[in-house]
Amino acid sequence: MESWKLTLPCTRAEAEILKEDIAPFVLLEPVPVLMTSEIDPAAPDDWQLDIYFEEEPSAATVTMAKQLVPSSADTTPVIIRLDDQDWVAISQEGLAPIREGRFFVHTPIHRDEIPEGALVFEIDAGQAFGTGHHETTAGCLAILDTLKSQGRRYRSIADIGTGTGILAFAAMALWPNAETIASDIDPLAIEVAEQNAAINAVRIGRGSGQVEMLVAAGLAHRRLRARAPYDLLIANILAGPLIELAPIFGNGVAPGGTLVLAGLLDKQADAVASAYRRNRFRLAERLNRGEWSILRLEKRRVRGHRPASRG
């Protein structure tokens, strides 16, 4: 099989963004595989983007690649033809399955490694960023698993910035009778999430045991407002938007409800937590994964409101 690799330098910040957003490449057929890597530990801000294709990338595709990493605007990409090989399999081999508590997230090549009794989700290698291979997503899975082990029960769940849909699917697997809604500011992400729902037999709809998917920023969509307040709200985005959304999430989460925030560096965690303390949340848990932090916050209860129950 003919295959090609396009390589561009990028910054560490650009690489981190690409772990959650590979649009518009998700619309290509077949979807190319994007991999980012650190070039030299002595230069931590210098990273590299490699994109694998089944055919030689066109000029338009090269332009799209450069738009993903603006720092490469004046750089000529390196494009090479690879020896005949199954490049999809090779790229998937580099994406080891993720096991977080009862969850197992894998690419198609790892189907024969599924452990007995796990909650399993399959995401194609071309969509691998944001599927659990990134520390923040894996950390969110770990917190969801802990909440279930603690006996928490949730009736209304929202996943804001859903990406591939993996966190919404995971929450649905743990609380199958809940009403779940998943949104993303990027229409392409919602298309990918819908495809992944079909692959993983997740039902799309507005009823109990189904997930409603829509394009929206924050809680701006009327459907998100109509279904609020939420017992559980998950937002794996970036620190800046999370701080801006603190008042909105403060109104969108029910008293006694749970808020899981991710996408923030460890050094940003205090500022994010402070913004939410000012909006009636208390920090219940901080999980560190590498340079990243995942925060679990609880909305302060008010008299006369029944909080999310425990089993």
Side-chain angles (χ1 to χ4, degrees):
M1 179 185 299
E2 183 178 77
S3 56
W4 295 76
K5 182 174 74 169
L6 182 154
T7 300
L8 281 167
C10 65
T11 66
R12 178 178 180 172
E14 290 169 339
E16 296 299 348
I17 292 173
L18 285 175
K19 288 184 177 181
E20 300 298 335
D21 183 9
I22 64 171
F25 282 94
V26 292
L27 294 183
L28 297 181
E29 183 60 40
V31 178
V33 174
L34 283 73
M35 309 277 293
T36 57
S37 57
E38 187 177 24
I39 300 173
D40 181 0
D45 289 330
D46 295 338
W47 281 58
Q48 176 174 297
L49 168 65
D50 294 308
I51 310 178
Y52 295 84
F53 302 89
E54 281 194 4
E55 58 185 26
E56 184 174 6
S58 66
T61 300
V62 172
T63 298
M64 283 195 298
K66 297 188 72 171
Q67 290 172 345
L68 290 179
V69 285
S71 64
S72 70
D74 297 327
T75 303
T76 300
V78 176
I79 303 174
I80 61 173
R81 185 186 184 281
L82 303 175
D83 294 336
D84 290 347
Q85 54 193 319
D86 188 346
W87 61 273
V88 172
I90 291 172
S91 64
Q92 289 182 358
E93 287 173 358
L95 296 173
I98 295 299
R99 183 69 188 261
E100 287 289 346
R102 68 200 76 197
F103 295 111
F104 186 80
V105 182
H106 68 97
T107 55
I109 199 171
H110 295 288
R111 287 172 183 161
D112 59 350
E113 301 176 29
I114 296 174
E116 184 177 355
L119 291 179
V120 180
F121 298 101
E122 178 179 307
I123 307 293
D124 187 82
Q127 305 166 357
F129 296 129
T131 67
H133 296 87
H134 188 201
E135 293 94 331
T136 57
T137 308
C140 288
L141 292 173
I143 285 183
L144 293 178
D145 182 74
T146 298
L147 289 169
K148 180 65 175 181
S149 297
Q150 292 174 347
R152 296 292 186 95
R153 294 180 181 177
Y154 298 105
R155 299 178 294 270
S156 181
I157 299 172
D159 178 20
I160 308 301
T162 193
T164 58
I166 184 64
L167 296 180
F169 304 161
M172 293 177 66
L174 295 177
W175 298 283
N177 294 322
E179 294 184 353
T180 303
I181 191 165
S183 67
D184 201 285
I185 196 171
D186 187 351
L188 297 178
I190 293 300
E191 290 184 23
V192 169
E194 290 173 343
Q195 295 168 8
N196 288 333
I199 292 171
N200 291 281
V202 174
R203 293 189 300 158
I204 296 177
R206 296 185 175 183
S208 174
Q210 299 176 322
V211 58
E212 181 179 358
M213 295 187 177
L214 48 85
V215 178
L219 296 181
H221 197 284
R222 61 179 180 81
R223 287 294 302 161
L224 286 163
R225 295 195 300 270
R227 294 179 63 160
Y230 299 97
D231 299 321
L232 172 63
L233 190 150
I234 308 160
N236 181 11
I237 42 181
L238 296 171
L242 286 177
I243 291 174
E244 293 176 4
L245 287 166
I248 296 171
F249 286 171
N251 292 326
V253 175
T258 301
L259 178 63
V260 178
L261 302 180
L264 50 139
L265 292 167
D266 181 63
K267 63 184 180 182
Q268 300 169 322
D270 289 341
V272 173
S274 178
Y276 282 85
R277 277 194 293 268
R278 294 193 294 270
N279 287 276
R280 295 166 288 166
F281 287 93
R282 67 175 183 87
L283 180 62
E285 180 181 1
R286 176 173 172 174
L287 179 63
N288 293 324
R289 292 293 180 91
E291 296 179 302
W292 299 88
S293 288
I294 301 90
L295 307 181
R296 175 171 66 87
L297 302 107
E298 302 292 334
K299 178 79 171 288
R300 297 187 184 279
R301 298 167 182 166
V302 295
R303 184 177 299 175
H305 183 89
R306 183 178 180 182
S309 60
R310 292 178 180 269

